[in-house]
Amino acid sequence: MTYRTVKLLADATTPEDLFHGQWQGRPSVLDEYKPYLDDRWNQGCTNAWKAWEEIVPFGYKGSYQRVRAYFRTKRLSADPVTTPPPSPRTVAGWILRHPDSVSDVEQLRLKAVLAHCPELEALTGHVRSFAQILTERQGQRLPEWLDAVRQDDLPGLHTLAAGIDRDRAAVIAGLTLPWNSGVVEGHVNRIKMLKRQMFGRAGFALLRKRVLLAP
């Protein structure tokens, strides 16, 4: 034996300390699905076959044996290492993004989060429904959306609904008609930019010329 091998054996305090080799730490096809499996384990799903059936439709290409081995490791460990829960900002990103832009793994994790919180699941439905109304100009659906929001115990959305109701006709028009104030706001922003560039350097006459003549 070489000196390094003898030293490794002598310094090891547990058998796990000897697990060093070319196969240690290599990426696995199961890695990206482990956060979802951890969430399901914490929910009480310890059946590896059921968990394997859940991740296959989301693109998992590995074998059932990998899932079973991962669950066996968690079952035998006194203090299994699990993936930390996603942050509120991360969950908000999953909800606010278009469903087509959310990866399969992120959808799995979002599904696990929503299973723990019925209020958050209801909020997700309302947010995505409003996004569809906004992007597809379906303003006629707004009254129906407002009624659905009021039926759930979501104080934050109730405040939003009350604000929309104060000017419902204008909001419906904005969600239906193709016209908007974007061009006007663009000119206002351009004028403010020119004013900041000239701050303390010239008077109104030069500012007027720049506003009228600038492209």
Side-chain angles (χ1 to χ4, degrees):
M1 294 184 182
T2 64
Y3 165 78
R4 292 182 180 275
T5 302
V6 175
K7 188 176 187 305
L8 176 64
L9 297 173
D11 293 343
T13 57
T14 63
E16 287 74 16
D17 293 340
L18 301 176
F19 294 161
H20 297 285
Q22 61 176 339
W23 301 107
Q24 301 300 317
R26 295 189 62 178
S28 166
V29 294
L30 188 63
D31 288 345
E32 61 177 323
Y33 300 93
K34 285 181 179 179
Y36 175 77
L37 295 178
D38 291 339
D39 291 337
R40 295 292 288 130
W41 179 273
N42 295 333
Q43 293 172 18
C45 177
T46 59
N47 188 312
W49 182 268
K50 185 175 186 302
W52 175 73
E53 289 182 329
E54 291 179 3
I55 62 177
V56 166
F58 290 93
Y60 175 65
K61 303 296 184 181
S63 63
Y64 156 71
Q65 282 73 17
R66 288 182 182 270
V67 180
R68 183 181 64 177
Y70 184 63
F71 270 34
R72 185 173 183 273
T73 302
K74 297 174 71 67
R75 189 175 291 110
L76 296 178
S77 176
D79 186 19
V81 178
T82 59
T83 304
S87 66
R89 181 186 294 272
T90 300
V91 176
W94 294 340
I95 295 174
L96 293 175
R97 283 157 51 195
H98 193 283
D100 293 342
S101 67
V102 181
S103 68
D104 293 340
V105 177
E106 291 172 337
Q107 290 181 9
L108 285 171
R109 299 204 67 189
L110 177 60
K111 179 181 177 182
V113 171
L114 299 183
H116 283 81
C117 183
E119 292 81 5
L120 191 59
E121 184 174 12
L123 174 65
T124 302
H126 293 314
V127 168
R128 291 184 170 176
S129 178
F130 187 82
Q132 186 178 14
I133 294 174
L134 177 65
T135 56
E136 299 182 7
R137 293 180 183 169
Q138 299 177 354
Q140 71 279 3
R141 291 179 48 199
L142 183 63
E144 175 188 347
W145 182 84
L146 293 173
D147 293 338
V149 165
R150 293 190 180 95
Q151 293 176 5
D152 290 322
D153 185 18
L154 300 170
L157 281 187
H158 291 174
T159 303
L160 173 63
I164 292 176
D165 261 337
R166 285 194 290 269
D167 203 3
R168 178 184 289 203
V171 176
I172 292 178
L175 294 174
T176 306
L177 301 176
W179 303 289
N180 59 71
S181 61
V183 176
V184 176
E185 295 296 333
H187 285 300
V188 171
N189 185 66
R190 182 176 64 89
I191 293 173
K192 289 181 177 179
M193 180 193 68
L194 294 173
K195 182 180 178 180
R196 293 190 185 100
Q197 289 177 343
M198 298 174 53
F199 180 76
R201 298 180 182 178
F204 178 76
L206 179 58
L207 174 62
R208 179 177 181 275
K209 289 184 178 181
R210 289 201 62 188
V211 170
L212 294 176
L213 300 177

